Amino acid sequence: MNLNRKPIPVLEAVDRAVAEVTPLKSEAVPYREAYGRILAEDLKATMAVPHFDKSAMDGFAIRSKDSIGASGDDRIEFTVAEEVPAGSTSDYILKENEAFRIMTGAPVPASADAVVMFEQAKMGDGTFTVRKAFNPGENIAIKGEECQPGEVIVPRGTFINPGTVATLATFGYENVEVYRQPVVGILATGSELIEIDQPLSPGKIRNSNGPMILSQLKRMNITGKMYALEADDFDTLLERVEDMLDEVDAIITTGGVSVGDYDFLPKLYEALGAEELFNKVGMRPGSVTTVSMLGTVPLFGLSGNPSACYTGFELFARPALLKMMGHDKIYAPVVDGVLDGDFRKANPFTRFVRAEIDYRAGGIYARPAGFNKSNAVTSIARSNGIIVLPGGSRGYQKGDPVKVMMTDMTTGARQFNL
Amino acid sequence: MNLNRKPIPVLEAVDRAVAEVTPLKSEAVPYREAYGRILAEDLKATMAVPHFDKSAMDGFAIRSKDSIGASGDDRIEFTVAEEVPAGSTSDYILKENEAFRIMTGAPVPASADAVVMFEQAKMGDGTFTVRKAFNPGENIAIKGEECQPGEVIVPRGTFINPGTVATLATFGYENVEVYRQPVVGILATGSELIEIDQPLSPGKIRNSNGPMILSQLKRMNITGKMYALEADDFDTLLERVEDMLDEVDAIITTGGVSVGDYDFLPKLYEALGAEELFNKVGMRPGSVTTVSMLGTVPLFGLSGNPSACYTGFELFARPALLKMMGHDKIYAPVVDGVLDGDFRKANPFTRFVRAEIDYRAGGIYARPAGFNKSNAVTSIARSNGIIVLPGGSRGYQKGDPVKVMMTDMTTGARQFNL
């Protein structure tokens, strides 16, 4: 029982957890399955885009010099010599005042250098007239105007979004190197826990932290691995964790980190030879969060109280796991918002309040999501963000400017603006 | 060939698309697999939380009246009569100045009404003293203080987040009713398209829109169904789409919506008897986006140009599909940001610019993500949001206030703040 833990500031705790972990190795995945993974190689252009001069419009490809002098009073007439649908090409050499009928996306034949949109032409029978001179290159997407071969489109470390997948397809990357996703073991401890299908009896509660963490991992595109609940018995737990260590890249435990007689985790970490990074943080809820390293494996010792567990995961486990995934934006965006309800309780430490964010035309409004004690679970269900209230001697009231942490993002920020 | 389409404003087009679709039926899924789905029933508390008076701390449970009069000079001593670990109960009746040793989460026995934290007690041998009087209920989580049986925790229509999963577990919902996810068929049209493993030849480009849309759907937790590429041949396409209609809840096509001779989709929709909601929108890119309804099935006719296709999906298909999924927050959040680069080209219509959002301590900064023409693909890979520039006669410069659409959210907003 250790009553003398010294709390460290939240950001220092985050930094300690993030500093110790390193990206995992990479693996190849098919481009169509790459969404949500992190690039482990620079995505380079394998060719120019467009890779040929391409009509940007439906219309007629002409020699621009033939249009010189055209005006409303003195229209110039062209004869359609050939058609070029998208996907086709033509080797035909235009003669004076001849044109190709051409579709958007089709290659502009070498003998043409401008495209007249249908809307700019007055149609005749196999002919059309124009009322203005066209510049060379007009309505043409010039080869390489978007990018050149070898150019880095997005660097290693970038989250693969739908546009990245489209870019991989464009450049013919059938497979792409991405960072391996961490295998995360979850162990919910506490003899009060029962599974969902067991009968509830006095003193027992259903294991809600385990499925919650599985979902927090799923939101990050990681599959968690739930380990069986164990009694709060030291030798059994030690054995379990040693077995887990062979199978996982990170371990998340819930419960067993406070000062109770039955809280074995600190002893367990010691027995395993883990290096404790911190065991108390100046925050509410979740002050007793512990993070340790066992070699390269981080051990996140989260509180057994649901709100504390949730918050500890988002603050410490999430950025550390994203760093292991090679992500270059590991932090939840923290933005300026307006407090949309009172929170009068003063607290010496930074307080993280589960919040309903309402994106209004006038700004980002955040309302405390109901009952907000450390052991609350229902407020997490009502929240899509977290209000960050700095510690101090006063409470906060509706309308106060506050920082809001956006927890529901697929990508994030490079720095933590707490 | 229809040169006389009349553009409608973006928000009107969004409203038309959203108004016509309706939520799908519900189905039961196991609670552990419910993350990312939408509740089709109110999530109601099945019991009080906590469901028993619970110690909020590790320490000693006492009769508060026995502590009356305690002070630093006149400490009151208690004798430990029994222990109550988490998960256990005790029927023992405390006598005067007796206490239970009790752990966080354990039920407070009926004969006690306050908990002394270890940190508030001075230990003796099987005894402890306190220096203050405790109030009834102190350090106890009272039965039902978080919620009462029957209370609606989150209503039907709510996105199931990790906290919702924890709440389902707490209340013993082994299965939960969620809205069925739409089966979305994707058909990329255009004879210029080849698959990723086919050789590139002049005029041909690889199909990037199909995999991009699959990823946009995956970001929404929907599985898309890609249909084989077809030549731009009317009868073949008609047959294909009729087959698709038996298998899907929505269809997304790319290409074939502009005014080119080979753009069959408008004719196709007519042949199918579809009701066209709009065929031109006052926006760039994606002005030729078409949305039609065939009975209850929306047909999203997106542009073949990647940036236009991407933008059309996010503006029209996403909110409509989220409404079909029963979601009550179907719009991407649009927030106030700062333009972090020049965009000098004026445009009469609303322009949507793929953007890199940088969440800084000073605000939300959004920089145009490079080459931004309608046919660009690489800028989508570099973007995590979209800058919204109202139409007008002027360009915009670095530092201008702009609206930013956050495309990377798992949940969204109730209204579209464009």
Side-chain angles (χ1 to χ4, degrees):
Chain A
M1 187 163 46
N2 176 3
L3 297 179
N4 298 309
R5 300 180 180 183
K6 234 182 109 73
I8 63 170
V10 180
L11 272 181
E12 189 184 326
V14 174
D15 287 347
R16 285 192 195 177
V18 166
E20 292 297 322
V21 297
T22 46
L24 301 171
K25 295 215 181 321
S26 70
E27 64 186 358
V29 297
Y31 77 107
R32 279 200 193 182
E33 294 161 24
Y35 171 77
R37 303 296 295 268
I38 312 297
L39 278 176
E41 60 178 327
D42 289 344
L43 197 176
K44 282 185 190 165
T46 55
M47 61 184 186
V49 175
H51 71 105
F52 49 85
D53 291 344
K54 180 188 283 193
S55 181
M57 295 291 168
D58 297 319
F60 303 101
I62 62 169
R63 310 190 311 181
S64 60
K65 63 182 177 190
D66 294 342
S67 68
I68 293 171
S71 70
D73 293 334
D74 197 7
R75 303 187 71 103
I76 293 181
E77 187 179 68
F78 289 82
T79 305
V80 177
E82 224 180 69
E83 277 196 38
V84 192
S88 301
T89 54
S90 173
D91 294 330
Y92 181 78
I93 309 289
L94 289 182
K95 300 188 190 70
E96 200 177 331
N97 285 24
E98 280 189 345
F100 296 102
R101 189 178 177 89
I102 196 166
M103 297 302 126
T104 305
V108 177
S111 61
D113 69 349
V115 170
V116 177
M117 294 162 63
F118 281 141
E119 293 87 336
Q120 296 171 316
K122 193 168 166 185
M123 309 296 189
D125 184 18
T127 62
F128 63 94
T129 61
V130 301
R131 52 173 292 159
K132 73 163 207 112
F134 284 76
N135 294 319
E138 198 164 337
N139 293 324
I140 293 176
I142 303 295
K143 177 178 176 173
E145 69 175 11
E146 180 169 348
C147 70
Q148 295 295 332
E151 208 175 290
V152 174
I153 304 304
V154 276
R156 188 169 75 164
T158 305
F159 179 90
I160 295 178
N161 69 25
T164 322
V165 173
T167 304
L168 290 167
T170 297
F171 292 125
Y173 283 82
E174 290 188 63
N175 294 288
V176 59
E177 282 293 311
V178 298
Y179 287 101
R180 191 164 69 69
Q181 289 168 302
V183 178
V184 181
I186 304 168
L187 186 63
T189 74
S191 47
E192 74 275 28
L193 297 182
I194 56 168
E195 284 305 336
I196 195 162
D197 53 355
Q198 293 179 296
L200 212 58
S201 59
K204 301 290 188 187
I205 57 169
R206 298 191 184 97
N207 172 20
S208 63
N209 287 333
M212 179 172 73
I213 293 170
L214 275 180
S215 303
Q216 286 174 289
L217 291 169
K218 191 171 173 195
R219 176 155 73 186
M220 300 166 61
N221 203 25
I222 302 176
T223 305
K225 198 169 169 178
M226 191 99 87
Y227 285 79
L229 299 180
E230 297 289 338
D232 278 350
D233 164 80
F234 187 75
D235 291 334
T236 317
L237 270 179
L238 183 61
E239 210 174 288
R240 193 75 330 300
V241 174
E242 279 174 337
D243 288 349
M244 281 173 78
L245 280 168
D246 294 336
E247 302 170 353
V248 301
D249 300 299
I251 293 178
I252 298 178
T253 60
T254 73
V257 288
S258 62
V259 297
D261 301 12
Y262 300 86
D263 294 336
F264 297 119
L265 284 182
K267 276 188 282 175
L268 189 81
Y269 293 161
E270 205 184 315
L272 289 163
E275 179 203 357
E276 192 174 79
L277 304 181
F278 57 85
N279 63 23
K280 189 151 192 169
V281 187
M283 62 187 253
R284 292 283 183 279
S287 64
V288 291
T289 306
T290 297
V291 178
S292 306
M293 292 297 298
L294 193 61
T296 59
V297 176
L299 308 168
F300 301 99
L302 305 181
S303 166
N305 278 325
S307 282
C309 177
Y310 178 83
T311 306
F313 180 97
E314 294 297 322
L315 285 175
F316 307 114
R318 189 175 190 275
L321 291 172
L322 287 177
K323 186 177 173 195
M324 293 174 78
M325 291 167 74
H327 206 308
D328 63 1
K329 290 177 173 177
I330 63 176
Y331 299 108
V334 176
V335 298
D336 294 323
V338 179
L339 186 61
D340 195 28
D342 293 339
F343 199 94
R344 298 212 172 263
K345 193 178 167 189
N347 200 289
F349 296 113
T350 311
R351 180 172 281 277
F352 295 90
V353 181
R354 269 74 47 220
E356 285 181 75
I357 304 180
D358 189 11
Y359 298 94
R360 299 190 199 153
I364 297 171
Y365 283 76
R367 183 173 42 249
F371 189 79
N372 239 295
K373 278 196 191 171
S374 167
N375 59 334
V377 62
T378 53
S379 56
I380 315 172
R382 280 188 289 259
S383 75
N384 58 347
I386 296 176
I387 299 167
V388 186
L389 298 178
S393 55
R394 67 180 189 92
Y396 294 85
Q397 59 188 38
K398 191 171 170 165
D400 281 351
V402 286
K403 289 188 175 177
V404 181
M405 195 173 140
M406 297 195 292
T407 50
D408 281 8
M409 303 289 290
T410 56
T411 60
R414 281 179 210 278
Q415 65 291 323
F416 214 170
N417 297 325
L418 282 181
Chain B
M1 188 164 42
N2 176 3
L3 298 179
N4 298 310
R5 299 179 180 183
K6 236 183 107 74
I8 63 168
V10 180
L11 273 181
E12 188 182 328
V14 173
D15 287 346
R16 285 193 196 177
V18 166
E20 292 297 323
V21 297
T22 45
L24 301 171
K25 294 216 181 320
S26 70
E27 63 187 358
V29 297
Y31 77 106
R32 279 201 193 181
E33 293 160 27
Y35 172 77
R37 303 296 294 270
I38 312 298
L39 279 176
E41 59 178 328
D42 291 343
L43 197 176
K44 281 186 192 165
T46 55
M47 60 184 188
V49 174
H51 70 104
F52 49 86
D53 290 344
K54 181 187 280 192
S55 181
M57 295 292 168
D58 296 318
F60 302 101
I62 60 168
R63 310 189 312 180
S64 61
K65 63 181 175 190
D66 294 340
S67 68
I68 294 170
S71 71
D73 292 333
D74 195 9
R75 303 187 71 105
I76 292 181
E77 187 178 68
F78 289 82
T79 305
V80 178
E82 223 181 71
E83 277 195 40
V84 192
S88 301
T89 53
S90 173
D91 292 330
Y92 181 80
I93 308 291
L94 289 182
K95 300 188 191 73
E96 199 176 333
N97 285 22
E98 280 189 344
F100 296 101
R101 190 177 177 91
I102 195 167
M103 297 304 125
T104 305
V108 177
S111 60
D113 69 349
V115 170
V116 177
M117 292 163 64
F118 282 142
E119 294 86 334
Q120 295 171 317
K122 192 168 166 184
M123 308 297 189
D125 184 19
T127 63
F128 65 93
T129 61
V130 299
R131 52 173 291 158
K132 72 163 206 114
F134 284 76
N135 293 319
E138 197 164 337
N139 294 323
I140 294 176
I142 303 294
K143 178 177 176 174
E145 70 174 9
E146 180 169 348
C147 70
Q148 295 294 331
E151 209 176 289
V152 174
I153 304 304
V154 276
R156 189 170 73 167
T158 304
F159 179 90
I160 295 178
N161 69 25
T164 322
V165 174
T167 304
L168 290 167
T170 296
F171 292 123
Y173 283 80
E174 289 187 64
N175 294 287
V176 58
E177 282 294 310
V178 298
Y179 287 100
R180 192 164 68 70
Q181 289 167 303
V183 177
V184 181
I186 304 168
L187 186 63
T189 73
S191 47
E192 74 276 28
L193 296 183
I194 56 168
E195 282 306 336
I196 195 163
D197 53 355
Q198 292 179 297
L200 213 56
S201 60
K204 301 291 188 187
I205 57 169
R206 297 191 183 96
N207 172 20
S208 62
N209 287 335
M212 180 171 73
I213 293 170
L214 274 180
S215 304
Q216 285 174 288
L217 290 169
K218 192 172 172 193
R219 177 154 73 186
M220 299 166 61
N221 204 24
I222 302 176
T223 305
K225 195 167 172 181
M226 192 98 87
Y227 285 78
L229 299 180
E230 299 287 338
D232 278 349
D233 164 81
F234 187 76
D235 291 335
T236 316
L237 269 180
L238 183 60
E239 210 173 288
R240 220 336 97 247
V241 175
E242 280 174 337
D243 288 349
M244 280 172 80
L245 282 168
D246 294 335
E247 302 170 352
V248 301
D249 300 298
I251 292 179
I252 298 177
T253 60
T254 74
V257 288
S258 62
V259 297
D261 300 13
Y262 299 86
D263 294 336
F264 297 120
L265 283 183
K267 273 188 284 177
L268 188 80
Y269 294 160
E270 206 183 315
L272 288 164
E275 177 204 358
E276 192 174 79
L277 303 182
F278 56 86
N279 63 22
K280 191 152 190 168
V281 187
M283 62 186 253
R284 294 282 184 281
S287 64
V288 290
T289 306
T290 296
V291 178
S292 306
M293 292 296 299
L294 194 61
T296 59
V297 176
L299 307 168
F300 301 99
L302 305 180
S303 164
N305 278 325
S307 281
C309 177
Y310 179 82
T311 306
F313 180 95
E314 295 296 323
L315 285 175
F316 308 113
R318 188 175 190 277
L321 291 172
L322 287 178
K323 186 178 173 196
M324 292 173 78
M325 291 167 75
H327 205 309
D328 62 1
K329 291 177 171 176
I330 63 177
Y331 299 108
V334 176
V335 297
D336 295 323
V338 180
L339 186 61
D340 195 28
D342 292 340
F343 199 94
R344 299 212 172 266
K345 194 177 167 190
N347 199 291
F349 296 113
T350 310
R351 181 172 280 277
F352 294 90
V353 182
R354 270 72 49 219
E356 285 180 75
I357 304 180
D358 188 11
Y359 298 95
R360 298 188 201 154
I364 297 170
Y365 284 75
R367 184 174 39 251
F371 189 80
N372 239 295
K373 278 197 190 170
S374 166
N375 59 336
V377 63
T378 53
S379 56
I380 315 171
R382 280 188 288 259
S383 74
N384 58 347
I386 296 176
I387 298 167
V388 186
L389 299 178
S393 54
R394 66 179 189 93
Y396 294 84
Q397 59 187 38
K398 190 171 169 164
D400 281 351
V402 285
K403 288 187 175 178
V404 182
M405 194 172 138
M406 298 195 293
T407 51
D408 282 8
M409 302 291 289
T410 56
T411 59
R414 281 179 209 278
Q415 65 292 322
F416 214 171
N417 297 324
L418 283 181

